[in-house]
Amino acid sequence: MLHNVIKLSHYRRKVFHVLPNVRWTVRRTLITTALENPEVDVALSTGRILRISSGKYARFADGCSVVTIGDTAVMVTAVAKQKSQNASFLPLVVDYRQKSAAAGRIPTNFLRRELGPSEKEILSARLVDRSIRPLFPAEFRYDTQIVCNMLAIDSANPPDVQAINGASAALALSDIPWNGPVGAVRVGLVDSEVIINPTRKEMQLSTLDLVVTATRQNLVVMLEGRGNVVNENELRMAIKKGTKEAQLIINGIERLQKSHGKPKRALEPLPAVEEEIQHAVRTMSEMRLREIFRDYSHDKFSRDQAVSKTRTDTIDKVWSSYPNADPGLISETYNKFVKSVFREMLLEDSRRCDGRGLDDLRKISCSVNLHKPLHGSALFQRGQTQVFCTVALDSPESALRLDPIASLDSGMKSKNFFLHYEFPPYATGETGKIGPIGRREIGHGALAEKGLVPIIPNEHPFTIRLTSEVLESNGSSSMATVCAGSMALMDAGVPVQEAAAGVAIGLITKYENNDTKHLEDYCILTDLLGIEDYMGDMDMKVAGTRRGMTAIQADIKVPGIPLKVVMESLQKAMEARFKILDLMDESISTARTVRKDCWPVTDRLVIEPHQRSKLLGPGGTNLRRLYLETGVQLTSDDETSFRIFAPSEAAMHEAKEYLENLLKAEKIPDLEFGAIYTARIVELRDTGVMVTLYPSMPPTLLHNSQLDQRKIAHPSALGLQVGTEIQVKYFGRDPVSGYMRLSRKVLQGPATAMIRNLDRPALGTASATAAGSSSGTNQTNNGMEDVKS
């Protein structure tokens, strides 16, 4: 109560000072509005202002904030149930929805409304989830939902990073227990200069797109980004700069929290386990667990089975000794003890459960060109992680079209290279439903795609689809996808700039009282195993080439790690990447240059303007028939030029034969500008007559204005009929329409040129001259001069 009185007095003094002559009722309204609608402005180092406000929208939510930068505004709400569902984990759900109305658009689907979440929405929701999840207390196990709602989106400032700041502010202002706040910034790199929260136009010039989430004391909570082969030193500089900049946002949220935050609700302590039971679990399982983790002959399944058998025996024996104890609590105690033993052994022995040292890689084997019909294929085996990648090359029309809102956000309308990642249940020896792609698969596929995009040439005649099928999984399958995908692209003849590889880096830490700033001990693990990911504190995936980084993603399970540990992890990832690239080069080091029979081919077809209608056919039937019979696609570049895409060389030959027969015609004379030709009338029209100069010629119009020097309304006034032959003068083709320009009017005077008759055989010179003299006309030898097809 006293705190509210102090705040009220502060706002009274402020309003009295600014508006001393305003009536008290008005001033009271202003004071109430200031208290109910708090906001704070954060001035970033770039001069941009980030505004965080609360109290105006969604007041039934436990916490709500609106983050505004430029004209982009994101509202984030946080709601948690008051009662726990007795879950053994935190049931946190993050929903991120892009609204077409926020950009002044209408959805283009049949229902004209937002449907299921798009890939961009799922990736943004994962970005928010990974940024806030590590800071929830271990005792907090209430159903919690974070909803990120787009209020307005401009064309300069992307909303995804601001959704992280909005979630941080909403949780900080709410009564939900949370050890935040966190701050997030996007970091760009233009001409080796770090830019904080770059605009969309600046991002088009940037070689780096990195999202950094940090908490107090410069502790890194989450990293996500892609780079156009960014040097490691520049990457380190960007992470340091982003972490420092995030402190400004954290300070702003803390000021808002101190003045307007709700008191945090009390946490129900987790059910206590008696010390006797804990001691019994340790006594009955410690030696067996240490033997299992020191038996380097175990693989993934045998080790899991041995740990599971030990769990069953331990729970049964402890429960029989303490029948009043809860078996669920005994099982949870055992799980915590397994994790502590695993971590202690790594810190003590610096030897991993499969016998490797901390910096050692698993055994790697590679192979390419596995099946003849495939454009490109590769198999990458790293330990018990196996990934099979295939490349399919198709026409440019097969490019992936992005929805309007995603295009506005990313500045890209379509993608001619995309990666699809599949993780079937049998990859982990399980059964399950194979259906729609899950969020995890979308996230892993997007990460692997980021790692490979920079090595794809900008100008490529085909659309490239890379499919990754995880056949076995025991850690870092997304980074194995980068390795296998790089080799498959080279096997498909895609002129990649250089090979790319990826590796996962893990972390085991030891600290007291959630103080991760001052770690008592830690060890960094190169080439992460599945069990090490589960038991550890970090999963940092780094992909790149020999020259630098192309993609990075760091999932951190503790409330932040120091920058020193992050930099050491990046160094370990770079050293491991070089070793992997050396092994990959033994299978394939450069793009294949010898063509495969199954590779698609492209060509170009150039036709005369008057042949276009004949090529297309009525309603484009000829092109559809060509595609159905041969699989060849024709795409128009302009009125006379077409791009031909054929799935194989044989299909191209078949298509060219079809097109040749379709466009086949008698030899077309090379008409001479200014020459006089004999034309045959084939049709009378109100506007003129349709004439042909040679049998295979498409009829062209000779307008009434060019029929006679006198003005006529209809050709019949001159006694012209179908089949009548007349002389016309040729003046070339219209540069716009391509139609012939003919005239009869200019010939109504002395003859100035030889008459060409193109629709009858040539006559002898003497007979032609005699015939012309006797008839009194200008007809003479047609003299079929140079005739060109």
Side-chain angles (χ1 to χ4, degrees):
M1 181 67 182
L2 180 60
H3 179 64
N4 291 334
V5 171
I6 293 173
K7 289 195 296 184
L8 183 60
S9 301
H10 169 74
Y11 281 102
R12 279 178 177 174
R13 289 195 301 269
K14 185 174 181 180
V15 173
F16 285 158
H17 177 71
V18 177
L19 302 171
N21 299 322
V22 180
R23 295 180 58 186
W24 165 244
T25 54
V26 177
R27 288 182 291 185
R28 182 174 59 185
T29 302
L30 294 175
I31 294 171
T32 305
T33 303
L35 287 174
E36 292 181 351
N37 302 321
E39 65 180 32
V40 62
D41 288 346
V42 179
L44 302 177
S45 62
T46 56
R48 295 190 176 99
I49 300 298
L50 180 72
R51 174 167 296 176
I52 305 174
S53 61
S54 182
K56 184 177 181 181
Y57 302 123
R59 298 176 184 177
F60 285 171
D62 293 331
C64 175
S65 69
V66 177
V67 178
T68 305
I69 183 168
D71 290 328
T72 295
V74 183
M75 184 185 75
V76 184
T77 58
V79 177
K81 289 186 176 180
Q82 297 292 332
K83 293 184 179 181
S84 174
Q85 301 296 323
N86 297 322
S88 58
F89 60 94
L90 170 63
L92 173 66
V93 176
V94 177
D95 289 314
Y96 178 100
R97 299 308 304 271
Q98 292 181 152
K99 302 297 181 64
S100 297
R105 305 289 180 87
I106 297 176
T108 56
N109 57 63
F110 179 75
L111 297 177
R112 296 296 188 269
R113 65 180 303 163
E114 283 77 16
L115 301 178
S118 65
E119 180 176 326
K120 173 62 178 177
E121 290 172 313
I122 291 173
L123 295 177
S124 300
R126 285 171 55 88
L127 208 64
V128 177
D129 187 302
R130 290 161 35 220
S131 298
I132 63 176
R133 186 181 290 270
L135 281 84
F136 281 96
E139 301 82 8
F140 185 75
R141 298 178 179 179
Y142 300 80
D143 283 334
T144 306
Q145 185 178 29
I146 308 295
V147 178
C148 308
N149 189 5
M150 305 300 107
L151 298 182
I153 304 174
D154 61 18
S155 59
N157 301 282
D160 51 356
V161 174
Q162 308 317 322
I164 302 175
N165 295 320
S168 174
L171 288 169
L173 293 169
S174 72
D175 62 343
I176 301 173
W178 190 59
N179 297 323
V182 299
V185 294
R186 172 172 267 110
V187 183
L189 193 66
V190 179
D191 296 331
S192 299
E193 181 182 352
V194 174
I195 300 178
I196 300 299
N197 284 350
T199 62
R200 185 169 64 88
K201 289 186 177 180
E202 291 173 334
M203 281 305 305
Q204 293 175 354
L205 304 175
S206 176
T207 57
L208 178 68
D209 180 5
L210 177 67
V211 177
V212 180
T213 303
T215 186
R216 306 178 189 92
Q217 300 180 319
N218 292 325
L219 297 178
V220 178
V221 177
M222 193 277 301
L223 296 173
E224 173 84 28
R226 59 179 176 83
N228 189 12
V229 192
V230 175
N231 182 274
E232 262 73 12
N233 292 330
E234 293 179 332
L235 176 62
R236 294 187 181 96
M237 178 178 64
I239 294 175
K240 291 178 181 178
K241 180 67 174 177
T243 304
K244 181 180 179 181
E245 198 76 14
Q247 304 305 307
L248 301 175
I249 300 174
I250 294 170
N251 294 335
I253 295 175
E254 286 180 338
R255 294 199 305 270
L256 201 60
Q257 182 183 12
K258 288 178 182 179
S259 59
H260 297 89
K262 299 178 183 178
K264 299 297 182 182
R265 69 179 73 166
L267 279 175
E268 295 181 7
L270 296 177
V273 181
E274 299 177 4
E275 292 186 4
E276 295 179 355
I277 295 179
Q278 294 181 20
H279 180 71
V281 169
R282 173 180 289 272
T283 302
M284 295 180 184
S285 61
E286 182 172 11
M287 294 303 297
R288 294 178 64 181
L289 289 173
R290 288 184 176 271
E291 290 178 2
I292 293 171
F293 294 142
R294 285 198 176 103
D295 186 355
Y296 305 141
S297 63
H298 278 307
D299 61 8
K300 173 184 173 69
F301 291 104
S302 62
R303 186 184 301 111
D304 290 348
Q305 290 171 359
V307 173
S308 179
K309 183 178 180 181
T310 304
R311 173 190 288 107
T312 303
D313 294 344
T314 300
I315 294 175
D316 290 344
K317 291 178 181 178
V318 172
W319 195 22
S320 62
S321 301
Y322 301 91
N324 295 327
D326 185 358
L329 290 179
I330 298 175
S331 176
E332 189 171 348
T333 303
Y334 173 83
N335 293 337
K336 291 181 179 178
F337 182 67
V338 170
K339 187 173 182 178
S340 65
V341 169
F342 185 87
R343 295 163 64 91
E344 287 173 5
M345 291 180 64
L346 273 170
L347 293 171
E348 292 170 1
D349 303 339
S350 296
R351 181 65 57 181
R352 300 157 76 169
C353 61
D354 58 354
R356 287 183 293 153
L358 300 181
D359 299 335
D360 294 340
L361 296 171
R362 289 174 285 176
K363 183 180 179 181
I364 294 176
S365 62
C366 313
S367 55
V368 296
N369 197 21
L370 302 174
H371 300 281
K372 187 176 179 180
L374 300 178
H375 295 162
S377 59
L379 183 70
F380 182 83
Q381 182 91 41
R382 177 161 50 193
Q384 287 184 294
T385 296
Q386 185 184 73
V387 174
F388 176 62
C389 280
T390 60
V391 171
L393 306 175
D394 211 327
S395 66
E397 284 65 41
S398 301
L400 182 63
R401 311 294 178 185
L402 301 182
D403 61 90
I405 303 302
S407 300
L408 183 67
D409 191 358
S410 62
M412 183 168 50
K413 296 182 179 180
S414 63
K415 296 195 298 185
N416 67 341
F417 169 72
F418 47 93
L419 186 149
H420 290 160
Y421 174 95
E422 300 175 3
F423 195 99
Y426 61 76
T428 53
E430 299 173 351
T431 60
K433 183 179 180 181
I434 298 179
I437 301 299
R439 293 193 170 205
R440 177 183 177 276
E441 292 173 290
I442 289 177
H444 284 200
L447 176 62
E449 181 179 307
K450 290 177 183 177
L452 292 172
V453 165
I455 69 173
I456 303 294
N458 294 329
E459 298 295 332
H460 196 268
F462 304 120
T463 295
I464 307 170
R465 181 189 185 228
L466 178 62
T467 304
S468 169
E469 299 178 55
V470 181
L471 307 182
E472 300 173 8
S473 177
N474 189 17
S476 66
S477 59
S478 60
M479 294 297 96
T481 295
V482 175
C483 301
S486 175
M487 294 189 296
L489 288 169
M490 289 190 284
D491 183 54
V494 178
V496 298
Q497 300 174 5
E498 52 187 325
V503 67
I505 304 296
L507 177 68
I508 302 293
T509 61
K510 184 178 181 181
Y511 55 90
E512 293 290 340
N513 300 323
N514 280 338
D515 184 13
T516 57
K517 176 68 175 179
H518 305 93
L519 299 176
E520 297 179 8
D521 195 7
Y522 69 92
C523 64
I524 298 174
L525 311 176
T526 300
D527 190 11
L528 207 58
L529 277 176
I531 190 173
E532 293 169 342
D533 182 11
Y534 176 74
M535 303 285 191
D537 298 325
M538 181 184 75
D539 179 12
M540 177 186 284
K541 303 180 180 72
V542 184
T545 68
R546 296 186 188 276
R547 294 188 296 117
M549 182 275 300
T550 57
I552 183 172
Q553 183 183 93
D555 294 335
I556 298 170
K557 303 175 186 177
V558 296
I561 59 174
L563 282 169
K564 174 188 174 183
V565 178
V566 175
M567 301 309 159
E568 290 183 19
S569 301
L570 290 175
Q571 181 65 26
K572 299 287 186 183
M574 182 180 66
E575 295 171 357
R577 191 170 71 241
F578 290 167
K579 296 177 183 178
I580 297 170
L581 287 169
D582 290 338
L583 296 172
M584 291 168 53
D585 287 345
E586 296 177 3
S587 296
I588 185 169
S589 57
T590 57
R592 182 185 298 276
T593 55
V594 179
R595 288 189 53 83
K596 293 183 180 180
D597 294 337
C598 62
W599 280 358
V601 291
T602 60
D603 204 345
R604 185 168 295 276
L605 174 66
V606 179
I607 61 174
E608 295 293 332
H610 64 273
Q611 293 179 301
R612 182 180 177 87
S613 59
K614 190 172 185 180
L615 173 65
L616 299 179
T621 55
N622 290 341
L623 299 190
R624 287 198 296 270
R625 180 181 176 185
L626 176 66
Y627 177 74
L628 293 175
E629 292 184 357
T630 65
V632 174
Q633 292 177 268
L634 256 68
T635 305
S636 176
D637 285 337
D638 51 47
E639 291 294 321
T640 62
S641 179
F642 291 81
R643 281 181 287 114
I644 308 177
F645 170 84
S648 64
E649 192 73 43
M652 177 63 79
H653 290 317
E654 186 178 355
K656 285 187 174 180
E657 184 178 350
Y658 174 86
L659 294 173
E660 185 178 352
N661 292 332
L662 183 65
L663 300 175
K664 186 177 181 180
E666 298 178 7
K667 290 185 177 181
I668 300 175
D670 186 10
L671 302 179
E672 180 183 348
F673 186 91
I676 301 173
Y677 296 92
T678 298
R680 181 183 295 275
I681 299 176
V682 296
E683 182 183 353
L684 296 181
R685 293 186 178 181
D686 292 340
T687 57
V689 293
M690 302 296 292
V691 298
T692 60
L693 303 185
Y694 47 89
S696 60
M697 170 184 165
T700 188
L701 177 67
L702 180 58
H703 197 268
N704 286 337
S705 61
Q706 298 299 324
L707 278 175
D708 198 86
Q709 292 185 353
R710 295 168 296 175
K711 185 176 180 181
I712 61 171
H714 194 274
S716 60
L718 299 176
L720 299 178
Q721 298 179 356
V722 174
T724 302
E725 293 183 353
I726 59 177
Q727 280 73 50
V728 295
K729 195 170 186 177
Y730 175 69
F731 291 100
R733 291 184 179 272
D734 187 277
V736 177
S737 64
Y739 295 137
M740 289 185 181
R741 294 186 296 187
L742 303 174
S743 177
R744 178 175 178 266
K745 178 175 65 175
V746 298
L747 298 180
Q748 293 179 345
T752 58
M754 183 181 296
I755 300 173
R756 270 75 168 180
N757 191 343
L758 302 178
D759 63 349
R760 63 184 62 176
L763 300 176
T765 304
S767 61
T769 304
S773 301
S774 62
S775 61
T777 67
N778 290 328
Q779 293 184 2
T780 184
N781 177 27
N782 72 355
M784 287 284 289
E785 297 178 345
D786 299 333
V787 177
K788 298 182 180 179
S789 62

